[in-house]
Amino acid sequence: MAFSASETGGALVFGATGFIGRWLVAELLGRGRTVAVAVRGGADRGEELRGWLREHGVDARGLVVVDADITRPGLGLGEGDRERLEGVRDVFNAAALFRFGLGREEARRANVDGAVNVVRWAAGLPRLRRLVHVSGYRVASAGTLTYPAAAKELDALYRRLGAYEASKLEGDAAVRAVSEEEGAPLTAVHPATVIGHSVTGEAGQYIGLAELVRDLWAGRLPALAGSRRTFVPVVTVDHLARFMAAVPEYDEGPYRAHRVLDGATPNLHELVGLLARHLGVRPPRMMLPVGLVRRLPRALTGVEPETLSFLSEERYDTSSADVLAKEAGLSHPPVEDALRRWADRLVADRFGS
């Protein structure tokens, strides 16, 4: 199958078998679009995705699977696949390596070099309308990093933040710089912590905030790091997928950026209290300042040091995302209901164990 240049024509999704990517593919197919997914492993990974789509009632006849590797210049695409994809109009990059404790080069291969490879390839598409790149809400709030940055600046960044967050920040700077250089119209989507589907709670991702819920459920959360003003915003995966699918229809110009989060998310201690009451477990009895937790041994706190930079009292500007959502007829589902359903599903899935 090749792509037409029609308004509902081809979309290409990188990271399509991941948490965000598969819901995005389902949304795009549901809108009647022909969707190509670029995956390592080609046919086998494609069949896994088709199976997931069928289980979720999605007609996957408009799905095209190509074997690609974002860590390689040119994405490792064969000549036949390059020709089939010439009609692609919108490229979505949801591919990333999300794990704490990564090595610096391991993180950079996917989150920096891989992101740049996608930009350079997409810029060569003759009918490209929009490149949509998934980043993160803390990355968007971290200020502007030049690309390429000085070695000393990068060394300090990776020491301070850890490989995952630092590579996402460097990757965001790289994508902005290279898309401008290549003339590729770019939208950076900066989502908050992504939780499960607003109706079913289904997630399939069990790190980050999900680990806090796991410890709460298991009675291993006697204290909470942060303050009563600590704000860890969330967004449901289905709202994020709808938002991303709408971006190419509304964004224009060389560069746009949107923080996508639900401003009605309770402060962290209230969020944890809400889930504790819902799950019938004891909430944490005390709060510890982040600076103190950072100085204590991890063996004592059980806290992954890289997560501490997310425990901030900062609030975030969502005005551009709010405008686009209103134009597209989108609104966040009730966040407290979504949190409860997500927690129920995490427990039912045994937190992915």
Side-chain angles (χ1 to χ4, degrees), residues 26-48:
E27 177 66 26
L28 291 167
L29 288 170
R31 292 174 176 232
R33 301 199 64 174
T34 301
V35 180
V37 295
V39 295
R40 279 202 297 188
D44 290 342
R45 298 296 300 279
E47 281 308 306
E48 291 176 17

Side-chain angles (χ1 to χ4, degrees), residues 56-333:
H56 291 76
V58 179
D59 184 347
R61 284 177 292 182
L63 187 70
V64 177
V65 178
V66 297
D67 194 348
D69 181 355
I70 67 169
T71 66
R72 297 173 60 186
L75 311 180
L77 290 168
E79 185 64 33
D81 285 333
R82 287 198 295 271
E83 291 177 359
R84 280 203 298 171
L85 297 174
E86 282 188 353
V88 166
R89 303 192 67 235
D90 301 320
V91 176
F92 299 86
N93 185 16
L97 195 54
F98 178 27
R99 192 170 72 245
F100 297 117
L102 290 167
R104 175 170 169 174
E105 290 311 309
E106 180 185 17
R108 292 191 76 258
R109 273 196 298 274
N111 298 343
V112 182
D113 298 338
V116 167
N117 290 337
V118 170
V119 174
R120 294 197 188 281
W121 181 85
L125 290 170
R127 299 186 179 94
L128 179 68
R129 174 172 61 170
R130 203 88 199 156
L131 169 62
V132 182
H133 174 78
V134 180
S135 190
Y137 77 107
R138 293 290 297 165
V139 169
S141 69
T144 301
L145 179 74
T146 58
Y147 179 81
K152 287 184 177 180
E153 185 179 7
L154 282 181
D155 290 344
L157 183 74
Y158 278 81
R159 281 196 303 271
R160 179 168 59 87
L161 297 178
Y164 169 69
E165 190 177 1
S167 67
K168 290 297 288 182
L169 198 154
E170 185 186 2
D172 179 70
V175 165
R176 284 188 282 109
V178 176
S179 64
E180 182 178 5
E181 171 191 322
E182 297 282 352
L186 170 70
T187 293
V189 173
H190 299 287
T193 296
V194 185
I195 63 171
H197 193 281
S198 63
V199 176
T200 67
E202 180 181 349
Q205 181 169 282
Y206 306 101
I207 61 177
L209 191 58
E211 292 174 306
L212 185 148
V213 180
R214 178 200 64 198
D215 291 345
L216 177 69
W217 169 251
R220 297 197 302 263
L221 194 67
L224 192 62
S227 74
R228 291 189 173 274
R229 295 181 298 279
T230 297
F231 183 53
V232 180
V234 302
V235 60
T236 62
V237 71
D238 48 316
H239 177 84
L240 177 61
R242 288 190 292 270
F243 183 93
M244 289 178 60
V247 162
E249 305 293 335
Y250 294 93
D251 273 359
E252 297 178 347
Y255 177 69
R256 298 294 304 278
H258 308 291
R259 286 192 189 91
V260 187
L261 59 90
D262 191 335
T265 306
N267 286 347
L268 183 61
H269 83 283
E270 295 168 353
L271 186 157
V272 171
L274 169 79
L275 295 183
R277 291 190 297 274
H278 177 68
L279 296 172
V281 297
R282 178 178 293 179
R285 294 184 294 276
M286 62 180 129
M287 302 198 73
L288 300 176
V290 170
L292 173 61
V293 176
R294 199 183 298 277
R295 291 192 295 272
L296 293 173
R298 181 180 176 183
L300 177 64
T301 66
V303 174
E304 166 58 58
E306 287 186 46
T307 66
L308 294 175
S309 63
F310 291 86
L311 301 180
S312 168
E313 297 179 5
E314 187 176 352
R315 294 301 191 266
Y316 307 93
D317 180 7
T318 63
S319 55
S320 66
D322 295 340
V323 169
L324 190 150
K326 184 176 181 180
E327 291 176 345
L330 304 177
S331 60
H332 290 281

